[in-house]
Amino acid sequence: METLNLILDFAGTFVFALSGAMMGVRYKLDIFGVLVLSFAAANSGGILRDVLIGATPPRAIQDWRYLAVSLLAGLVTFFRYSKIDRLKSKLLLCDAVGLSLFAVAGANKALAFHLDPIPAIMLGMLTGIGGGMMRDLLVAEIPAVLRADFYALAALCGAAVVVVGNAWKLPSLPVSIAGGCLCFGLRYMAIRRNWRLPVADSDEGSPQGNLDPNHDKESG
């Protein structure tokens, strides 16, 4: 279980670090800002999970390899952004893979710390979506997971498969694969078919305002 969680963590870390670094480049951050965003996107969910279950200091801070993987992805994106950007559609799928890996790894780690099923499912979801939420907040965007995107629900379903399989005493590896495949499948179909969660009707305009990174550049 420990080796499986480590593999899932590193794979998810690299994928989400790419997404954080790409947003940093799009918002015209300097190289330090891009690296901060890549680390935040890759590790915030795992750090929050570890703090909540008492696994302190969090592995992403304790183990230098998490920082190394995040910085590598950030540097690759910073210096080769044009090539990375041409892979947008593939990176969107990679993001779905990262979500699946983190949701499964988060649920497995919560179970390893003997959490009850419902908290374990919630922490699996939080591990998957936490990095993306922190990434968006750092650039003053409403997190994508809160904008009717079929994202958190996919992570929730994947984590639930892991927890239910553990309750039924099924082998951890096949259950983790099944949970990851379900999460990825839901997210992939949402991307392909534009699945959205319902949004309440409102007569008022959008409160989001201007989130353009170049807004107020001249006045500043």
Side-chain angles (χ1 to χ4, degrees):
M1 180 67 72
E2 183 71 16
T3 302
L4 175 62
N5 283 341
L6 196 62
I7 293 171
L8 294 175
D9 265 359
F10 284 142
T13 295
F14 186 80
V15 170
F16 275 124
L18 284 177
S19 74
M22 288 188 69
M23 181 168 282
V25 173
R26 287 198 298 269
Y27 272 78
K28 306 297 182 184
L29 303 185
D30 61 21
I31 187 169
F32 181 77
V34 169
L35 295 180
V36 167
L37 216 58
S38 69
F39 180 83
N43 296 287
S44 295
I47 289 173
L48 184 55
R49 173 203 64 207
D50 288 354
V51 169
L52 289 174
I53 64 178
T56 55
R59 174 172 281 176
I61 297 175
Q62 188 179 36
D63 190 335
W64 64 269
R65 291 174 293 182
Y66 287 87
L67 176 62
V69 170
S70 302
L71 295 184
L72 174 62
L75 290 171
V76 168
T77 304
F78 186 85
F79 290 107
R80 293 290 184 269
Y81 177 77
S82 58
K83 293 183 179 179
I84 299 290
D85 191 52
R86 286 197 289 268
L87 302 175
K88 270 184 180 178
S89 60
K90 294 181 180 178
L91 285 176
L92 201 57
L93 293 180
C94 286
D95 182 78
V97 172
L99 177 69
S100 306
L101 292 172
F102 271 10
V104 168
N108 275 325
K109 187 160 188 179
L111 291 171
F113 276 73
H114 309 293
L115 266 69
D116 290 335
I118 297 301
I121 293 172
M122 298 301 294
L123 280 179
M125 179 189 70
L126 180 62
T127 306
I129 69 175
M133 292 183 68
M134 180 60 70
R135 173 200 66 205
D136 294 348
L137 289 172
L138 286 174
V139 294
E141 280 195 6
I142 297 175
V145 68
L146 301 180
R147 294 184 304 211
D149 206 355
F150 202 88
Y151 200 84
L153 186 58
L156 194 68
C157 292
V161 169
V162 173
V163 172
V164 170
N166 179 78
W168 289 350
K169 308 298 183 184
L170 298 176
S172 59
L173 181 58
V175 166
S176 296
I177 293 173
C181 288
L182 176 61
C183 180
F184 176 80
L186 290 172
R187 181 64 186 141
Y188 176 76
M189 293 304 295
I191 294 170
R192 290 293 302 270
R193 299 183 179 275
N194 197 30
W195 287 353
R196 311 281 288 180
L197 294 176
V199 179
D201 292 331
S202 174
D203 295 331
E204 299 179 4
S206 171
Q208 294 182 37
N210 192 331
L211 297 179
D212 184 349
N214 296 315
H215 183 56
D216 289 338
K217 181 184 288 184
E218 296 182 358
S219 61

